[in-house]
């Protein structure tokens, strides 16, 4: 009897230790995801001398806006930001429309859409096989899109992944509503715009988040389809400034030096500005995307 | 089928037109462009106008001194990412499920999903800074513990590990979503039965939670099969430099350098075709297996 209570006591002690340890572990893990970003932010707000002397840890040292002031008066930065705004606006509208327009018909049954499975395979095959980098590059060059904003918007406009997410969600919606609408003489456009879309907010928010992130983050297409730096979107410009011309990457003994505005603080400020829009939209859309992904991947 | 029914379908077909056009031009036409792999391709002569040289480009690739090393790097880096990218999220999902204080749980989730949404340009910039041997915080910490300074991005011993660990760091949080959903879907009656049988929390995890996750684990494992040649172009491209080509160069970066920097289009396309064909077989196999094992269908 005594042994048993001792065991129970021990078990509950182990359980408590596990719970406390688990909280500590997961909280530190989540800090590990945030801290690198915090450090970059701190370096960007620190003075050049503090940054190059390696004095900045989690908080800025000698707080200053000078790096940001310096970036804001760089013409190339502003120009590439404008390219990104264009790309973002056009790309978002086109990608979202194409995803919805493709997903709605594909969510129908074979009997309601002649050739549905052929269409579906036409879309899915592009996930299975691709022409690869060089042929794709050649095709985009031939279409004459190079050095126009359309080279960043059109080639990747259909994300089959997003289409599948949407169509699986559409299929899970109750059929009765749209059937009665069809009885009343409504067409597919009306049903799509007035009924399906308003019921699909979680998955639309998810797809919207993915599309925004895609257009904000894409840098490689800018690098290969734009021949002139003034056509680079911001992400491509950052790739050149922060990565390609970063001496820290190749030279182990590189020290930033104590110029008035060091390359290290400037780079950090640019990295942070590059991450900022995502940090801003993310919390608003986060509550949707978990639901959207789970619902979208559930099979009807 | 009656005429009226067909007419009702017209808008549906119309809706599909723009998507199909885009895929036709930018996905299917490039597939035809794979013929470049069998040509001595000269861009001015167009996709089908250059001289045909059979398997010449492939023979050239096989004679390249580094090709086997690059293939090995690709498969090694990709496989390690796949394996660790499965195991870590499974463990974290189980641990997350144990958190009962909701605002902490949600806070943790919010933070660990975040890196997934950052590009490798941003994260690469952060890593280059953080890992720098002269000024980076990681080496500063290591020095404080009396360890030697390491040039993580310049050493062939360290570079693959940096790739693997940083990729797991970026993606593990987002990958927990599906596993957490699977845990939530486990029938609570199973836990009650386990408790009646005297199972403590550890045993419940082992005998109820983990078996409940098996279908989704099998599904994710089979679907990841298609990524064996995807070692992560964006990440490698933004982190590597000539001094770590030996351990970090992968098929995709090689294709980029040979094709777009050296303008050897035929050779680069030949390597690309190899990658596309192998990936196609693996993805098709993985979908087939996923269908057979857990009755998975894409749509």
């Amino acid at each position: 009897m005594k042994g048993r209570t001792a065991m129970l006591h021990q078990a509950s002690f182990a359980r408590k230790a596990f719970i406390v340890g688990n909280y500590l572990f997961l909280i530190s893990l989540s800090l590990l995801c945030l801290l690198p970003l915090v450090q970059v932010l701190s370096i960007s707000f620190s003075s050049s001398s503090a940054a190059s002397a390696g004095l900045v840890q989690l908080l800025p040292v000698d707080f200053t806006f000078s790096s940001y002031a310096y970036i804001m008066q760089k013409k190339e930065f502003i120009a590439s930001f404008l390219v990104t705004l264009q790309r973002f606006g056009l790309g978002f509208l086109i990608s979202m429309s194409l995803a919805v327009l493709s997903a709605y018909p594909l969510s129908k049954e074979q009997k309601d859409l002649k050739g549905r499975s052929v269409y579906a395979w036409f879309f899915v095959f592009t996930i299975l096989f691709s022409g690869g980098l060089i042929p794709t590059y050649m095709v985009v060059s031939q279409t004459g899109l190079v050095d126009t904003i359309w080279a960043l918007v059109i080639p990747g406009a259909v994300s089959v992944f997003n289409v599948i997410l949407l169509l699986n969600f559409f299929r899970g919606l109750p059929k009765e509503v749209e059937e009665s609408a069809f009885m009343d003489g409504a067409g597919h456009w009306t049903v799509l715009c007035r009924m399906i879309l308003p019921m699909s907010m979680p998955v639309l928010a998810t797809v919207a988040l993915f599309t925004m992130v895609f257009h904000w983050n894409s840098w490689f297409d800018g690098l290969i389809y734009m021949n002139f730096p003034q056509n680079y979107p911001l992400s491509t410009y950052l790739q050149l400034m922060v990565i390609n011309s970063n001496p820290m990457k190749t030279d182990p003994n590189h020290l930033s030096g104590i110029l008035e505005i060091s390359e290290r603080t400037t780079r950090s400020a640019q990295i942070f500005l590059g991450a900022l829009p995502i940090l801003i939209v993310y919390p608003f859309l986060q509550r949707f995307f978990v639901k959207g992904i789970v619902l979208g991947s559930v099979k009807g | 089928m009656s005429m009226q029914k067909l007419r009702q379908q017209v808008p549906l077909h119309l809706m599909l037109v723009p998507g199909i056009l885009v895929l036709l031009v930018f996905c299917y036409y490039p597939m035809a462009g794979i013929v470049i792999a069998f040509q001595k391709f000269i861009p001015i002569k167009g996709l089908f106008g250059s001289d045909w040289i059979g398997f010449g480009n492939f023979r050239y690739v096989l004679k390249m001194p580094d090709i086997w090393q690059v293939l090995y790097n690709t498969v090694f880096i990709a496989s390690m990412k796949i394996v660790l990218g499965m195991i870590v999220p499974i463990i974290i999902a189980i641990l997350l499920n144990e958190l009962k204080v909701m605002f902490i749980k949600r806070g943790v989730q919010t933070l660990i999903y975040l890196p997934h949404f950052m590009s490798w340009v941003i994260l690469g910039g952060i890593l280059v800074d953080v890992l720098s041997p002269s000024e980076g915080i990681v080496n500063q910490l290591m020095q404080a513990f009396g360890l030697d300074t390491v040039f993580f991005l310049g050493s062939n011993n360290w570079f693959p590990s940096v790739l693997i660990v940083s990729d797991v760091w970026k993606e593990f949080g987002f990958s927990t979503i599906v596993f957490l959903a699977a845990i939530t879907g486990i029938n609570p009656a199973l836990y009650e039965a386990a408790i009646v049988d005297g199972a403590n929390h550890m045993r419940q995890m082992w005998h109820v939670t983990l078996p409940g996750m098996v279908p989704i684990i099998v599904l994710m494992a089979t679907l990841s099969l298609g990524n064996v040649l995807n070692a992560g172009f964006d990440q490698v491209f933004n982190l590597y430099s000539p001094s770590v080509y030996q351990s970090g160069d992968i098929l995709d970066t090689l294709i980029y350098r040979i094709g777009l920097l050296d303008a050897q289009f035929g050779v680069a396309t030949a390597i690309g075709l190899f990658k596309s064909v192998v990936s196609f077989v693996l993805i098709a196999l993985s979908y087939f297996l996923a269908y057979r094992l857990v009755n998975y269908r894409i749509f």
Side-chain angles (χ1 to χ4, degrees):
Chain A
M1 199 58 198
K2 210 177 177 185
R4 191 172 159 78
T5 45
M7 230 174 75
L8 269 177
H9 186 73
Q10 214 177 14
S12 69
F13 174 76
R15 177 76 192 146
K16 273 179 194 150
F18 168 78
I19 292 174
V20 173
N22 192 24
Y23 273 97
L24 289 179
F25 173 69
L26 287 176
I27 290 172
S28 5
L29 198 68
S30 53
L31 289 181
L32 194 66
C33 293
L34 187 67
L35 289 184
L37 209 62
V38 173
Q39 215 230 350
V40 165
L41 181 64
S42 305
I43 293 174
S44 73
F45 278 122
S46 296
S47 72
S48 305
S49 50
S52 50
L55 296 176
V56 184
Q57 268 114 36
L58 280 184
L59 293 172
V61 178
D62 305 335
F63 190 90
T64 167
F65 282 107
S66 59
S67 305
Y68 290 91
Y70 173 70
I71 294 169
M72 285 310 162
Q73 49 92 30
K74 273 172 87 173
K75 273 209 265 341
E76 299 90 341
F77 185 87
I78 305 297
S80 63
F81 184 69
L82 292 178
V83 174
T84 289
L85 280 189
Q86 261 189 67
R87 177 217 180 121
F88 194 80
L90 288 171
F92 182 74
L93 278 180
I94 293 177
S95 300
M96 287 299 283
S97 323
L98 285 181
V100 169
L101 287 182
S102 308
Y104 175 71
L106 292 176
S107 71
K108 298 290 169 196
E109 301 291 327
Q110 181 79 33
K111 66 175 168 56
D112 297 320
L113 175 66
K114 200 164 187 289
R116 177 192 176 268
S117 61
V118 178
Y119 284 129
W121 274 108
F122 183 89
F123 278 78
V124 169
F125 189 73
T126 62
I127 317 182
L128 303 178
F129 194 74
S130 91
L133 174 66
I134 308 297
T136 309
Y137 172 80
M138 290 298 162
V139 167
V140 176
S141 324
Q142 279 188 355
T143 52
L145 296 182
V146 167
D147 273 317
T148 70
I149 193 77
W150 303 109
L152 308 177
V153 173
I154 307 281
V158 178
S159 158
V160 176
F161 174 76
N162 285 344
V163 172
I164 292 174
L165 216 54
L166 283 173
L167 89 86
N168 279 330
F169 188 91
F170 290 166
R171 283 178 135 194
L173 293 173
K175 293 277 168 289
E176 297 78 15
V177 196
E178 62 173 80
E179 270 162 15
S180 68
F182 284 130
M183 290 296 203
D184 295 344
H188 282 294
W189 291 98
T190 321
V191 168
L192 174 59
C193 299
R194 296 273 173 80
M195 296 175 167
I196 303 289
L197 291 185
M199 285 195 288
S200 306
M201 279 310 157
V203 76
L204 284 175
T206 308
V207 172
L209 174 68
F210 289 156
T211 309
M212 286 191 237
V213 169
F214 169 78
H215 278 292
W216 182 264
N217 281 345
S218 295
W219 54 277
F220 188 63
D221 47 5
L223 188 67
I224 61 176
Y225 297 138
M226 297 297 164
N227 293 317
F228 304 103
Q230 68 264 29
N231 292 338
Y232 281 167
L234 187 63
S235 49
T236 310
Y237 171 79
L238 287 182
Q239 205 275 331
L240 287 183
M241 297 323 276
V242 175
I243 309 266
N244 242 6
S245 59
N246 188 342
M248 271 178 162
K249 195 174 151 188
T250 44
D251 176 9
N253 302 314
H254 176 80
L255 290 168
S256 300
I258 314 175
L259 299 165
E260 193 176 344
I261 293 158
S262 84
E263 13 174 282
R264 192 181 184 202
T265 54
T266 321
R267 267 201 309 270
S268 301
Q270 286 173 324
I271 292 174
F272 186 73
L273 288 178
L276 189 60
I278 293 193
L279 295 175
I280 294 173
V281 293
Y282 170 73
F284 293 102
L285 293 171
Q286 192 231 342
R287 63 197 181 97
F288 286 117
F289 75 70
V290 174
K291 210 173 150 198
I293 289 170
V294 174
L295 290 176
S297 53
V298 169
K299 303 296 154 314
Chain B
M1 197 177 298
S2 67
M3 273 318 281
Q4 196 206 346
K5 237 185 156 182
L6 265 179
R7 206 172 311 133
Q8 271 175 357
Q9 290 189 5
V10 169
L12 293 177
H13 294 275
L14 281 179
M15 286 177 193
L16 285 166
V17 169
I20 286 177
L21 278 180
V22 170
L23 291 182
L24 213 50
V25 176
F26 296 103
C27 290
Y28 282 93
Y29 188 29
M31 288 182 204
I34 280 174
V35 294
I36 297 174
F38 304 97
Q39 293 174 339
K40 188 159 183 53
F41 179 70
I42 296 161
I44 299 175
K45 293 188 178 174
L47 274 186
F48 297 93
S50 302
D51 293 335
W52 296 88
I53 54 167
F55 285 90
N57 289 323
F58 293 90
R59 277 194 293 274
Y60 178 88
V61 171
L62 287 176
K63 281 199 204 110
M64 285 169 50
D66 302 332
I67 189 71
W68 297 109
Q69 182 66 41
V70 171
L71 188 61
Y72 170 80
N73 293 344
T74 309
V75 175
F76 174 72
I77 294 167
S79 313
M80 291 301 284
K81 283 180 180 177
I82 292 173
V83 172
L84 288 176
M86 289 275 302
I87 296 175
V88 174
I90 292 171
I91 295 172
I92 302 299
I94 294 176
L95 293 180
L96 260 176
N97 190 50
E98 296 288 315
L99 295 189
K100 299 294 175 240
V101 184
M102 278 324 275
F103 79 93
I104 296 186
K105 184 177 177 184
R106 257 188 235 121
V108 169
Q109 284 174 292
T110 304
L111 291 181
I112 64 177
Y113 299 159
L114 183 60
H116 170 82
F117 293 97
M118 303 276 166
S119 75
W120 274 114
V121 170
I122 301 297
L123 295 181
I126 293 178
L127 277 181
V128 171
D129 190 282
V130 165
L131 296 178
S132 153
S134 50
E135 298 172 335
I137 191 138
V138 172
N139 270 302
Q140 281 184 359
L141 283 175
M142 286 170 59
Q143 270 169 8
F145 285 104
L147 298 167
D148 287 335
T149 304
V150 173
F151 188 13
F152 290 99
L153 297 179
S155 144
N156 281 307
N157 290 330
W158 285 95
F159 190 69
S161 314
V162 171
L163 293 179
I164 294 160
V165 171
S166 61
D167 187 71
V168 172
W169 171 77
K170 181 180 194 282
E171 300 297 341
F172 82 91
F174 197 72
S175 309
T176 58
I177 294 179
V178 280
F179 295 118
L180 265 178
I183 297 178
T184 323
I186 295 173
N187 186 349
L190 293 176
Y191 287 103
E192 283 154 24
I195 293 168
V196 171
D197 289 347
N200 61 19
H201 275 87
M202 279 301 166
R203 290 198 158 273
Q204 288 172 39
M205 265 189 224
W206 188 251
H207 292 291
V208 181
T209 311
L210 210 52
M213 294 168 78
V214 163
I216 195 84
I217 294 176
V218 171
L219 176 63
M220 297 320 258
T222 35
L223 291 186
S224 64
L225 200 62
N227 282 327
V228 168
L229 291 185
N230 277 334
F233 174 82
D234 281 23
Q235 183 198 21
V236 175
F237 188 79
N238 284 311
L239 290 176
Y240 82 161
S241 57
S243 55
V244 287
Y245 280 176
Q246 192 206 329
S247 65
D249 199 14
I250 57 170
L251 287 178
D252 286 320
T253 46
L254 186 70
I255 293 170
Y256 170 77
R257 289 202 315 277
I258 294 183
L260 295 184
L261 298 186
D262 302 344
Q264 299 189 58
F265 301 110
V267 178
T269 310
I271 306 176
L273 177 57
F274 165 76
K275 195 196 156 203
S276 291
V277 169
V278 174
S279 297
F280 173 71
V281 172
L282 290 174
I283 298 173
L285 182 69
S286 73
Y287 281 175
F288 174 74
L289 283 177
Y291 176 64
R292 274 302 177 81
L293 294 173
V294 286
N295 205 18
Y296 171 80
R297 286 159 59 216
I298 322 174
F299 54 86

